Amino acid sequence: MTNEIFHDYVAGGISGAAGLVVGHPLDTAKVQMQTNLSKGPDRSALEVVRNLKARGWRQGFLRGLSFPLYTNTLINCIFFGVYGNTIKVIQLWRPSSSSSSAALPPRRLDCLVAALFAGMAQLVIACPVDAVKVILQSHLEKGKDGLKFRGPLSCLRQLYRHGGLGNCYRGFRAMSLRDLPASAIYFVSYEEAVRRLRSAGFGDRRGLAASLVAGGCAGVASWVAILPLDVVKSHFQMDFDGRKYRGLVHCFRSIYGAGGLLAFYAGLVPCVVRAFITNAVILTVNDECLRMLKRN
């Protein structure tokens, strides 16, 4: 039992790193579409992809990757570790539980409670990491707004210089409003979808196809539900020196004034594609890692 506590953390870290490498180029495209409203909220995904391609992979699609690549392992380690172990605790402490009940699929309410705990726990690391990522992805041009970032640490130092530790957590409330419901939708929909697909005999015997499809659908469902909040968060974090927005409400009003309702769904196409591919990889790798760890 002691070793099993760490299984979810290890599997989460490995799957998170795999998912980030797969999804980062599309995430950069999403952030570009969300934060460059001056070029129009209806700016096409193809136009953004062409612009990123012209800058090359390192300064275009992969800009801002190094920092979250190092930290995303820790974030997903916490996210999946807290989720998996909360499920175990709930199942063990349920009055009607027996010694074998912990092996049964979790109930929807179990998944919901565990997802909320996991979503809150990962924010401690995820918020400053996300702020740095968004700033680097949105400032493709050196010297934009009079700012120059040599890399993630340079960006983090400027965040701290402009407002201390609190500024590194700029957008924490927006991320909480985004990540808590997203986490609930993510895990509940995945557990339900993968259970139904496997019981229906979908795909191969090991259930890899079911995990890929269920993981992709869970990712899309969670992101589409919270995309407007993600747009507000990205804008608020990008304005790290507080010159443009006085708060989240002012940020919301400014985005609406600049592009109407469509502005809150900027980046929808790359977001949906990225969500499906990335989360299909993350949840399938996570399940396979857990399976291997339990076998050993």
Side-chain angles (χ1 to χ4, degrees):
M1 180 65 185
T2 304
N3 289 334
E4 287 184 7
I5 293 174
F6 299 103
H7 288 177
D8 292 286
Y9 290 100
V10 173
I14 295 170
S15 62
L20 181 70
V21 171
V22 171
H24 190 81
L26 284 165
D27 187 58
T28 302
K30 172 182 74 74
V31 171
Q32 277 289 298
M33 290 183 74
Q34 289 177 342
T35 56
N36 284 286
L37 287 180
S38 59
K39 298 182 180 180
D42 56 346
R43 189 184 183 198
S44 72
L46 187 59
E47 182 186 347
V48 171
V49 169
R50 284 173 179 166
N51 179 47
L52 291 170
K53 185 179 178 182
R55 297 178 181 279
W57 276 93
R58 186 176 179 183
Q59 292 301 318
F61 289 108
L62 299 181
R63 185 167 178 81
L65 173 64
S66 59
F67 191 56
L69 182 60
Y70 298 135
T71 54
N72 211 59
T73 301
L74 178 58
I75 292 169
N76 279 275
C77 173
I78 295 169
F79 188 53
F80 283 93
V82 171
Y83 174 77
N85 283 289
T86 303
I87 290 285
K88 291 185 180 76
V89 170
I90 291 172
Q91 290 180 326
L92 286 173
W93 282 89
R94 185 177 291 122
S96 60
S97 66
S98 63
S99 59
S100 61
S101 66
L104 296 173
R107 300 176 183 178
R108 291 191 191 94
L109 184 59
D110 299 347
C111 297
L112 177 63
V113 172
L116 293 174
F117 274 106
M120 183 56 72
Q122 56 90 33
L123 280 173
V124 177
I125 306 296
C127 189
V129 169
D130 196 66
V132 170
K133 177 182 72 68
V134 166
I135 291 168
L136 289 176
Q137 287 175 326
S138 58
H139 287 74
L140 287 177
E141 299 174 10
K142 290 185 177 180
K144 182 180 177 181
D145 301 329
L147 299 169
K148 287 186 179 180
F149 301 112
R150 292 187 299 275
L153 293 179
S154 169
C155 181
L156 195 61
R157 279 194 294 269
Q158 290 210 42
L159 271 171
Y160 185 81
R161 190 177 299 126
H162 279 83
L165 186 61
N167 205 35
C168 297
Y169 283 88
R170 185 171 177 80
F172 182 84
R173 284 183 297 171
M175 278 196 75
S176 299
L177 291 171
R178 184 197 73 168
D179 284 8
L180 294 186
S183 299
I185 295 169
Y186 185 64
F187 280 117
V188 173
S189 61
Y190 174 71
E191 297 285 1
E192 187 68 20
V194 78
R195 184 159 52 235
R196 287 177 179 271
L197 287 171
R198 286 175 179 171
S199 63
F202 179 83
D204 56 298
R205 292 182 179 179
R206 292 183 64 186
L208 284 175
S211 293
L212 285 167
V213 173
C217 291
V220 171
S222 61
W223 271 102
V224 169
I226 52 85
L227 188 59
L229 285 168
D230 186 59
V231 173
V232 174
K233 174 203 70 69
S234 294
H235 277 265
F236 195 68
Q237 287 177 323
M238 187 179 67
D239 179 42
F240 68 88
D241 53 4
R243 295 177 183 176
K244 191 173 182 180
Y245 303 120
R246 296 190 297 271
L248 288 177
V249 175
H250 180 238
C251 181
F252 179 89
R253 288 174 177 169
S254 298
I255 296 169
Y256 181 78
L261 287 174
L262 280 176
F264 294 102
Y265 289 92
L268 178 63
V269 173
C271 178
V272 168
V273 175
R274 170 189 171 271
F276 189 92
I277 296 172
T278 302
N279 291 287
V281 171
I282 288 175
L283 287 163
T284 302
V285 171
N286 184 69
D287 281 357
E288 286 301 300
C289 285
L290 285 174
R291 195 174 297 172
M292 290 174 62
L293 288 167
K294 287 176 182 176
R295 197 164 52 233
N296 295 328

